[in-house]
Amino acid sequence: MSTKSAPTPQRSGKYAGKAASTRQAERRKKLLSAGIKLIGREGYAATSIDAVCHEAGLTKRYFYESFTNSDQLLVEAYRTVTQEYLSTIMRATRPHLNDSRELVRAGLQQAFGFVKDNPDKARLIMIEAMSVRSQLGQMYGKSYNEFVELLVGFTKPFLPDSGCSDTLLAVMAKGAVGAIIHLCQGWIATGFKQPVDELVAGTELIFSGMGRELGILV
């Protein structure tokens, strides 16, 4: 009796129903998440590639599939978290774009709330980033400018026709960003002991003073 051999499976680039590109993206996401956690918790200098791979449950082979070195992981971790931070502030303020007081309050509540709810991510972008600015390169300045531009964009619609120049407004926005970062750094360093409502209320006064100087009626 003749027998026929089973047909040879065709390579489709899939495993368990997932395309190779999908599996690679999932591995990269795991490594990035592990990097954010460890850099935020232990610091960049104390975070090795081996530790990131162990946290992600992957081998170094897969690390180098996604990142050239640990510096590239750091830059991507910082970029990812800062984008998430700014995006959450934008979502929180969207319902209040026509009310300056509620806009400020909602923005500050989210700015501080994100930090408390995500301590590892907050340490990465608020504290650790200060000591690794050389490794972050242009990404640090880019993210800082995006934060400043966000505040400028929030402010401009409320300015009177005789409002200040864009240059002066940008300087004030940088001061506001600096105040938020400094307050967050101190808050993280002291274990979030101060109630978030106090931080929001105090920072609101700073912003209100700036608003009055700009001629914004609240």
Side-chain angles (χ1 to χ4, degrees):
M1 182 175 65
S2 64
T3 59
K4 292 183 178 180
S5 58
T8 303
Q10 298 296 312
R11 292 183 176 274
S12 63
K14 292 187 177 181
Y15 179 78
K18 293 183 180 179
S21 59
T22 300
R23 299 199 306 276
Q24 182 177 348
E26 290 176 346
R27 289 192 293 267
R28 188 178 188 278
K29 186 176 181 180
K30 286 182 179 180
L31 289 162
L32 183 57
S33 179
I36 290 170
K37 177 180 177 180
L38 293 178
I39 295 171
R41 189 170 297 180
E42 307 294 337
Y44 177 63
T47 300
S48 66
I49 291 175
D50 285 334
V52 172
C53 291
H54 178 75
E55 179 69 28
L58 296 168
T59 66
K60 291 175 74 172
R61 166 197 168 194
Y62 291 123
F63 180 91
Y64 290 110
E65 172 189 70
S66 295
F67 304 101
T68 303
N69 51 37
S70 57
D71 281 357
Q72 188 182 22
L73 171 65
L74 170 68
V75 170
E76 186 61 17
Y78 178 78
R79 185 196 68 79
T80 298
V81 176
T82 52
Q83 287 298 312
E84 180 184 356
Y85 184 53
L86 295 179
S87 293
T88 62
I89 293 174
M90 292 176 68
R91 285 197 298 271
T93 54
R94 193 169 294 130
H96 311 290
L97 296 179
N98 296 318
D99 186 325
S100 61
R101 184 176 293 277
E102 289 302 318
L103 175 66
V104 169
R105 182 172 294 123
L108 291 175
Q109 286 175 338
Q110 182 57 42
F112 290 117
F114 179 94
V115 168
K116 188 173 183 180
D117 293 340
N118 302 275
D120 294 338
K121 293 179 179 180
R123 290 188 189 95
L124 168 59
I125 64 173
M126 297 290 185
I127 295 179
E128 189 61 20
M130 301 297 109
S131 63
V132 294
R133 287 178 64 174
S134 60
Q135 287 96 326
L136 290 172
Q138 295 181 347
M139 182 56 65
Y140 182 89
K142 181 176 183 295
S143 296
Y144 177 80
N145 288 334
E146 286 176 352
F147 202 170
V148 171
E149 289 169 5
L150 180 65
L151 293 190
V152 169
F154 284 157
T155 305
K156 272 192 168 184
F158 299 103
L159 290 175
D161 293 336
S162 58
C164 68
S165 67
D166 287 354
T167 300
L168 183 58
L169 185 58
V171 171
M172 296 183 74
K174 288 177 182 178
V177 169
I180 292 172
I181 293 174
H182 183 72
L183 286 168
C184 286
Q185 289 172 335
W187 199 34
I188 294 167
T190 54
F192 307 104
K193 290 182 179 179
Q194 188 167 20
V196 66
D197 288 347
E198 292 181 6
L199 284 170
V200 170
T203 313
E204 270 192 276
L205 294 177
I206 296 174
F207 279 50
S208 294
M210 290 183 174
R212 284 194 298 272
E213 289 299 316
L214 290 169
I216 297 175
L217 300 176
V218 296

